[in-house]
Amino acid sequence: MSRIGKKPIAVPSGVTVAISGNTVAVKGPKGELSRTVPAEMKVTIEDGTVTVVRPSDIGRHRALHGLTRTLINNMVEGVTAGFSKSLEIRGVGYKAEATAEGARFIVGYSHTVDYAAPEGITISVENPTLVKIEGIDKEKVGQVAAEIRRVRPPEPYKGKGIRYVGEHVRTKAGKTGAKA
């Protein structure tokens, strides 16, 4: 049996979980999220905990069991605490600026790159080389961080570009000059 799937999800005070059909809606202090879970999975609420039960032991059901439980847990965690990812910008003259819609990046192109934040996501520029993405939907926060990183991914020779905070970028040795 899935070790993750069988763990019950504790619902903190101030958070309400509603199940209608195969749609799970979670409402908390930071906002509201809803998601359609696979029809095979049975989601129940009892005594302040949410449990996910699978119908059989076939591979598809085992895979969906842990996935469904994790998705619901991320929704509960998102409406209580929220999620964030931080990106750092490295390179001479590379920087970010906050705008009304999101952020503007100056990363070595002949033009600036504007990024408009989707609904429910806030992008803050803490200093010119540190960008923080926050929101209640873990999937959206990760997607926005990946899209911003894609503007100028770190290159392998000097490591210039946009990277996650704490990400290790392996650098290659440059050319060796011919000695005559």
Side-chain angles (χ1 to χ4, degrees):
M1 182 154 206
S2 169
R3 289 186 292 206
I4 291 174
K6 68 182 178 183
K7 287 172 68 177
I9 302 165
V11 179
S13 61
V15 175
T16 58
V17 178
I19 301 168
S20 66
N22 57 342
T23 301
V24 178
V26 181
K27 191 174 188 177
K30 289 204 173 230
E32 187 173 350
L33 292 171
S34 67
R35 178 180 285 274
T36 303
V37 296
E40 298 104 324
M41 297 296 115
K42 185 179 177 221
V43 182
T44 57
I45 306 168
E46 48 192 48
D47 301 331
T49 61
V50 177
T51 54
V52 180
V53 180
R54 67 175 183 232
S56 70
D57 258 351
I58 64 171
R60 173 176 163 71
H61 291 159
R62 287 197 321 243
L64 288 175
H65 190 207
L67 172 71
T68 304
R69 188 255 180 218
T70 301
L71 291 174
I72 295 170
N73 187 53
N74 285 344
M75 290 183 353
V76 170
E77 196 177 320
V79 297
T80 54
F83 294 101
S84 70
K85 280 207 178 263
S86 296
L87 298 168
E88 66 178 323
I89 301 171
R90 287 198 189 165
V92 176
Y94 288 17
K95 63 181 179 175
E97 302 167 347
T99 62
E101 304 86 35
R104 175 175 293 130
F105 298 94
I106 300 165
V107 285
Y109 296 123
S110 61
H111 59 282
T112 60
V113 179
D114 291 332
Y115 186 84
E119 187 179 332
I121 300 293
T122 56
I123 299 175
S124 59
V125 179
E126 295 178 358
N127 65 49
T129 61
L130 191 66
V131 179
K132 191 169 190 179
I133 300 134
E134 296 175 305
I136 61 172
D137 188 350
K138 187 174 187 176
E139 194 173 335
K140 254 190 198 176
V141 170
Q143 183 64 37
V144 168
E147 288 171 3
I148 290 174
R149 184 182 182 276
R150 203 174 313 132
V151 167
R152 175 70 95 170
E155 54 96 15
Y157 294 102
K158 290 186 178 177
K160 299 188 321 184
I162 302 172
R163 64 177 77 188
Y164 298 111
V165 169
E167 177 183 3
H168 176 71
V169 175
R170 291 181 57 188
T171 55
K172 297 179 179 179
K175 289 183 186 176
T176 55
K179 295 176 183 166

